């Protein structure tokens, strides 16, 4: 029996460098690491809407030196939480968007990110948050180990807020290699007590510069033990950076994945990944 099936589901014009997505209702919400917008793609109408995340007109292909580098997005209830990667000092913001009230709040995570670096013994040059999951009580931040130290990890954060009232736990992981290159976390989603994650192998020792993409895999972490279960390589060419649950049936999980094409072309492919339980 085939372990997984990967198929192209949507081709969206108007979004480039997709870095995170969430399936909710009849829509797929997408962020781009080169834009200041939250995109909403309506599956039924195929309409694409943009919401500015900083009060300025929405902009695509923002220069690398100045972009906020939105790499992670979490959802709880009506709220979306969009996170900068923390890989440079100007990438330390979280934007909270309520889709019902259309209100927005920006939070400076510089203190949290600096404590994460200290707690995990990660240099600022190697720090790179690429996935966040929120349960309503706990936050899980995935550190992508695509820097010199190749340090992958998950920060578990509890507290009243992410600015100055929280506790941190940290677990470090060694992920499988693809074509002799260590893979690194790119996103995650919570399903039935398991943290399903994506990881990509990219031939670059920098959190800032892109490298040759060698493939992507999916795996899971048990939240009770914080240990990694089985992993499965799902591509030898795609740089999958976004993961969301699409369908959960008795024998199969279906995820939606987005791909960061690392170009200025404003087109994004959304794939469906079906995996046997």
């Amino acid at each position: 029996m085939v372990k997984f099936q990967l198929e192209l589901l949507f081709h969206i014009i108007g979004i480039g460098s997709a870095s995170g997505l969430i399936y909710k209702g009849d829509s797929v919400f997408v962020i781009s690491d080169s834009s200041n917008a939250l995109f909403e793609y309506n599956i039924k109408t195929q309409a694409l809407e943009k919401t500015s995340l900083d009060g300025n007109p929405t902009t695509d292909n923002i220069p690398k030196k100045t972009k906020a580098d939105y790499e992670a997005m979490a959802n709880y209830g009506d709220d979306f939480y969009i996170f900068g990667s923390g890989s440079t000092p100007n990438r330390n913001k979280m934007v909270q968007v309520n889709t019902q009230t259309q209100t927005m709040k920006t939070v400076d995570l510089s203190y949290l990110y600096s404590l994460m670096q200290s707690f995990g013994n990660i240099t600022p040059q190697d720090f790179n948050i690429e996935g966040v999951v929120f349960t309503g009580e706990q936050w899980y931040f995935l550190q992508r180990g695509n820097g010199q130290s190749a340090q992958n990890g998950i920060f578990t954060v509890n507290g009243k807020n992410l600015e100055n009232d929280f506790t941190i736990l940290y677990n470090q992981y060694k992920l499988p290699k693809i074509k002799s290159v260590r893979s690194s976390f790119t996103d995650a989603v919570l399903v039935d007590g398991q943290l399903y994650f994506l990881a990509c192998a990219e031939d670059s020792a920098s959190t800032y510069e892109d490298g040759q993409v060698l493939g992507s895999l999916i795996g899971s972490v048990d939240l009770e033990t914080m240990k990694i279960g089985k992993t499965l390589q799902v591509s030898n060419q795609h740089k999958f950076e976004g993961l969301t649950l699409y369908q959960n049936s008795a024998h199969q999980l279906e995820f939606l994945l987005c791909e960061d094409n690392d170009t200025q072309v404003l087109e994004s492919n959304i794939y469906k990944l079906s995996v046997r339980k």
Side-chain angles (χ1 to χ4, degrees):
M1 185 180 292
V2 178
K3 292 183 179 180
F4 75 94
Q5 183 176 2
L6 182 67
E7 57 185 298
L8 178 64
L9 199 61
F10 310 121
H11 180 73
I12 306 176
I13 305 297
I15 307 175
S17 300
S19 56
L21 79 168
I22 289 174
Y23 171 65
K24 187 176 178 66
D26 294 323
S27 295
V28 178
F29 294 83
V30 183
I31 55 171
S32 162
D33 62 20
S34 63
S35 175
N36 65 336
L38 171 63
F39 300 87
E40 180 180 357
Y41 177 75
N42 188 289
I43 296 172
K44 292 184 177 180
T45 66
Q46 299 183 346
L48 182 65
E49 296 185 1
K50 299 181 182 182
T51 299
S52 173
L53 295 173
D54 58 12
N56 298 314
T58 56
T59 305
D60 301 303
N61 294 323
I62 299 173
K64 182 172 287 192
K65 289 184 178 181
T66 58
K67 68 180 184 178
D69 199 33
Y70 295 120
E71 289 281 6
M73 178 165 55
N75 168 239
Y76 187 78
D78 295 325
D79 288 308
F80 286 79
Y81 304 87
I82 297 111
F83 295 82
S85 66
S87 55
T88 64
N90 61 304
R91 300 176 175 183
N92 292 341
K93 293 180 180 179
M94 179 195 78
V95 182
Q96 178 180 349
V97 180
N98 186 285
T99 55
Q100 290 297 314
T101 62
Q102 299 300 312
T103 55
M104 192 176 304
K105 177 184 178 182
T106 301
V107 177
D108 186 350
L109 299 182
S110 297
Y111 181 58
L112 172 65
Y113 281 180
S114 66
L115 286 184
M116 284 181 173
Q117 292 169 28
S118 176
F119 201 78
N121 195 25
I122 304 170
T123 66
Q125 294 76 24
D126 287 343
F127 188 72
N128 191 15
I129 297 299
E130 293 252 348
V132 179
V133 171
F134 183 42
T135 68
E137 296 181 354
Q138 292 179 311
W139 300 87
Y140 298 93
F141 288 77
L142 277 75
Q143 151 70 18
R144 183 181 181 191
N146 61 333
Q148 288 283 352
S149 64
Q151 186 173 336
N152 288 286
I154 298 178
F155 294 94
T156 304
V157 181
N158 291 277
K160 293 182 179 179
N161 64 67
L162 295 178
E163 292 181 279
N164 52 31
D165 191 355
F166 51 79
T167 60
I168 301 175
L169 295 174
Y170 181 63
N171 290 275
Q172 188 172 336
Y173 299 94
K174 181 174 286 188
L175 298 181
K177 291 183 178 181
I178 300 176
K179 300 176 184 176
S180 301
V181 174
R182 185 75 60 189
S183 62
S184 52
F185 288 130
T186 56
D187 204 4
V189 64
L190 182 63
V191 182
D192 298 334
Q194 298 284 317
L195 200 66
Y196 285 85
F197 65 84
L198 284 175
C200 171
E202 190 172 4
D203 196 5
S204 172
S206 170
T207 63
Y208 191 79
E209 299 295 341
D210 301 317
Q212 180 186 359
V213 176
L214 304 175
S216 295
L217 60 84
I218 190 169
S220 63
V221 173
D222 188 303
L223 290 186
E224 290 190 1
T225 64
M226 295 305 290
K227 292 184 177 180
I228 290 181
K230 294 181 180 180
T231 60
L232 177 66
Q233 185 175 341
V234 296
S235 173
N236 59 8
Q237 60 182 339
H238 296 97
K239 182 183 178 182
F240 290 128
E241 288 207 358
L243 178 70
T244 186
L245 181 66
Y246 190 50
Q247 299 288 340
N248 185 357
S249 62
H251 304 290
Q252 181 173 264
L253 289 172
E254 294 182 357
F255 299 98
L256 298 184
L257 286 63
C258 67
E259 179 182 18
D260 187 350
N261 51 27
D262 287 330
T263 72
Q264 294 190 337
V265 179
L266 299 181
E267 298 180 11
S268 290
N269 291 324
I270 307 297
Y271 294 84
K272 183 175 78 171
L273 174 66
S274 303
V275 182
R276 288 192 293 121
K277 286 187 174 179

